[in-house]
Amino acid sequence: MTKTIAIIGSGFSSLAASCYLAQQGNKVIIYEKNESIGGRARQFKKDGFTFDMGPSWYWMPDVFEKFFSDFNKKTSDYYELIKLNPAYRVYFGINDFVNIYDNLEAIKTTFETIEKGSGSKLEAFINQAKSNYDIAIKDLVYRPGISPLELITPQTALKLNQFFSNVSSDIRKKFKNERLIQILEFPVLFLGAKPTKTPSFYNFMNYADFGLGTWHPKTGMFDVVRGIEKLATELGVTIETNASIEKIIVENKTATGIIINGKIIKADIILSGADYQHTETLLDEVHRSYSEQYWESRVFAPSSLLFFVGFNKKIENITHHALFFDVDFNQHAADIYDQPKWPEAPLFYANFPSKTDASAAPEGMESGFFLIPLAPGIKDTEELREEYFEKIITRFEQLTQQKIKNNIIFKRSFCKNDFVTDYNAYKGNAYGMANTLLQTAFLRPKLKSKKVRNLYFTGQLTVPGPGVPPALISGKLVAELIHQSLRS
């Protein structure tokens, strides 16, 4: 029998879940509070410039292929991919940088020029990372986080020690050069925790980086959003925007509908891909699975200060993706996780999509996206935003040896307060809840409500964790749970 399923939010996990649920024969409707779909992966356009507002790294292409193959489709049916070379550049000082190329042999050569003997060590390290990747991404992450037994397999038993050591210590046992160490520690930042707090098993992110490479959808990450939206509509999914949820209706401990703009909308199943903590505030307190004390005790991934900038000239000495590690990596991490505050000297990331995609900026111009990781929940003011833009743009000019401040046509900032306003993000977090040992798999908030029947969750605060590929997987996992419940 066809069931009506109401999905809250239209981020990657919601869109993915909608496809699976529609494929099962359900009537699926997505309700998005904003005027555009995509959640954090929305797109911003102004004066001929185009920006992805959130995710800008396309890693783990195999996860995307696996998603589309579940519907007998390929990614190429919906968007075109370009492999970046160099994948990215890491700046350590003035005209002092390391390029990470698009294949392991070239990266080994780069490592060898910096630290003698590190090329062969890197190959062994990446081989181990690939072994972990095969276990994690092809198996463990496709488990719904219901039981600790999900983590116990013959393969993980052989790697048990890697769950009790950390990424940073493992890397430092093998490499001595601080630059190489920082490059190898960088990928786990996508998991939202310090390398010293991330289990060694998660070094599979290094294989995602050096083994599988960095890709770019032809006109940006929003291509992927559009692609999954197209698949969803082909499967019969309906999407309504400007539809902010005011309440989840619960009768006899069962979710029966939602209220939008004072209107009651009945549904057999409610699935929220919106912020988990916010979703529970749409319930009466008696129906909430997690208390405010619970959320306060969690380790959250960073928030971010973002700038979307239009330049009236081409920017030199820069690649599509660039990381600026010319300041103390550990101090910035401490300012996020240990004693949360605005960092005195922030690391930052810059992305110039117009280096790859000419349509991202008018001819002869450049679109630039800048990101500073910040602690969630800190003070956010326009004055602080301006102060920090001045800090990073001054360093950018020094490190790339060019003047660009006077070539800015416009800039738009987006920070903690905007994450709260636009996404109802707890403490304005940008990446969800960190993947620390005590927040992994079955220790994360559950896909299925513990107190309300027919209420489910998906996305970065639940299983398997932060990032776009995990979001697609989260959508699949919750759809399978819903399917099982409807069959029982």
Side-chain angles (χ1 to χ4, degrees), residues 317-349:
N317 306 327
I318 197 69
T319 53
H320 184 119
H321 295 296
L323 303 166
F324 292 82
F325 286 180
D326 56 306
V327 297
D328 191 331
F329 184 104
N330 293 320
Q331 182 57 53
H332 190 160
D335 292 341
I336 293 174
Y337 296 105
D338 300 338
Q339 295 179 317
K341 63 180 181 179
W342 282 80
E344 186 65 32
L347 286 78
F348 68 97
Y349 156 65

Side-chain angles (χ1 to χ4, degrees), residues 444-464:
R444 297 181 72 82
K446 302 301 183 186
L447 291 164
K448 184 177 182 179
S449 171
K450 295 189 287 187
K451 292 190 175 182
V452 180
R453 289 184 293 272
N454 296 347
L455 175 61
Y456 295 82
F457 300 84
T458 187
Q460 60 186 9
L461 291 184
T462 182
V463 180

Side-chain angles (χ1 to χ4, degrees), residues 268-285:
D268 299 301
I269 299 287
I270 308 296
L271 168 61
S272 179
D275 181 274
Y276 203 125
Q277 183 271 344
H278 167 74
T279 302
E280 289 220 307
T281 68
L282 302 175
L283 298 163
D284 292 333
E285 192 167 348

Side-chain angles (χ1 to χ4, degrees), residues 76-89:
S76 58
D77 294 329
Y78 295 94
Y79 53 88
E80 180 182 338
L81 286 173
I82 300 164
K83 194 174 189 183
L84 299 181
N85 190 29
Y88 55 93
R89 176 177 290 178

Side-chain angles (χ1 to χ4, degrees), residues 169-231:
S169 65
D170 273 17
I171 290 171
R172 290 172 185 275
K173 288 174 186 174
K174 298 175 176 66
F175 303 91
K176 303 305 177 188
N177 184 276
E178 195 62 32
R179 296 182 180 193
L180 300 186
I181 289 168
Q182 289 185 16
I183 290 169
L184 289 169
E185 287 182 341
F186 149 68
V188 301
L189 297 180
F190 284 104
L191 301 172
K194 292 169 65 174
T196 55
K197 298 293 185 181
T198 303
S200 298
F201 183 75
Y202 283 104
N203 69 20
F204 64 72
M205 292 295 292
N206 292 107
Y207 175 70
D209 181 1
F210 291 178
L212 297 175
T214 301
W215 301 75
H216 183 70
K218 186 176 181 180
T219 63
M221 287 294 287
F222 200 68
D223 283 1
V224 187
V225 174
R226 276 192 293 249
I228 301 176
E229 176 195 27
K230 186 171 187 294
L231 173 61

Side-chain angles (χ1 to χ4, degrees), residues 379-392:
K379 181 180 179 182
D380 171 18
T381 67
E382 288 300 324
E383 291 75 20
L384 281 166
R385 297 185 190 196
E386 284 302 311
E387 176 186 340
Y388 276 77
F389 182 75
E390 183 63 27
K391 284 188 177 190
I392 65 169

Side-chain angles (χ1 to χ4, degrees), residues 22-191:
Q23 185 186 49
Q24 295 163 14
N26 300 296
K27 178 183 178 183
V28 182
I29 308 169
I30 292 175
Y31 298 95
E32 167 59 51
K33 74 180 286 287
N34 295 309
E35 62 183 22
S36 168
I37 67 164
R40 285 166 169 78
R42 290 182 299 163
Q43 190 178 66
F44 168 54
K45 291 189 175 187
K46 182 177 173 65
D47 299 340
F49 294 87
T50 302
F51 304 89
D52 287 315
M53 292 188 69
S56 58
W57 294 76
Y58 191 103
W59 274 9
M60 305 185 188
D62 51 323
V63 175
F64 294 85
E65 287 294 350
K66 184 176 177 62
F67 167 75
F68 282 101
S69 71
D70 285 341
F71 305 93
N72 297 314
K73 301 288 187 179
K74 303 186 295 293
T75 56
S76 58
D77 294 329
Y78 295 94
Y79 53 88
E80 180 182 338
L81 286 173
I82 300 164
K83 194 174 189 183
L84 299 181
N85 190 29
Y88 55 93
R89 176 177 290 178
V90 186
Y91 281 88
F92 295 99
I94 295 174
N95 202 29
D96 178 10
F97 57 81
V98 175
N99 282 332
I100 300 300
Y101 293 102
D102 69 344
N103 66 89
L104 184 57
E105 286 304 312
I107 300 169
K108 283 168 55 183
T109 299
T110 298
F111 269 52
E112 193 66 32
T113 61
I114 296 172
E115 179 182 313
K116 189 171 179 59
S118 65
S120 59
K121 291 179 182 177
L122 178 64
E123 184 168 22
F125 180 72
I126 296 300
N127 284 340
Q128 182 193 69
K130 181 182 185 303
S131 172
N132 289 358
Y133 187 92
D134 289 342
I135 294 169
I137 303 302
K138 296 179 182 178
D139 183 12
L140 293 184
V141 293
Y142 286 94
R143 302 185 182 199
I146 294 171
S147 164
L149 296 178
E150 293 173 5
L151 296 178
I152 302 173
T153 70
Q155 292 80 10
T156 58
L158 296 174
K159 296 177 179 286
L160 190 60
N161 64 313
Q162 292 188 38
F163 287 92
F164 298 98
S165 59
N166 66 72
V167 165
S168 183
S169 65
D170 273 17
I171 290 171
R172 290 172 185 275
K173 288 174 186 174
K174 298 175 176 66
F175 303 91
K176 303 305 177 188
N177 184 276
E178 195 62 32
R179 296 182 180 193
L180 300 186
I181 289 168
Q182 289 185 16
I183 290 169
L184 289 169
E185 287 182 341
F186 149 68
V188 301
L189 297 180
F190 284 104
L191 301 172

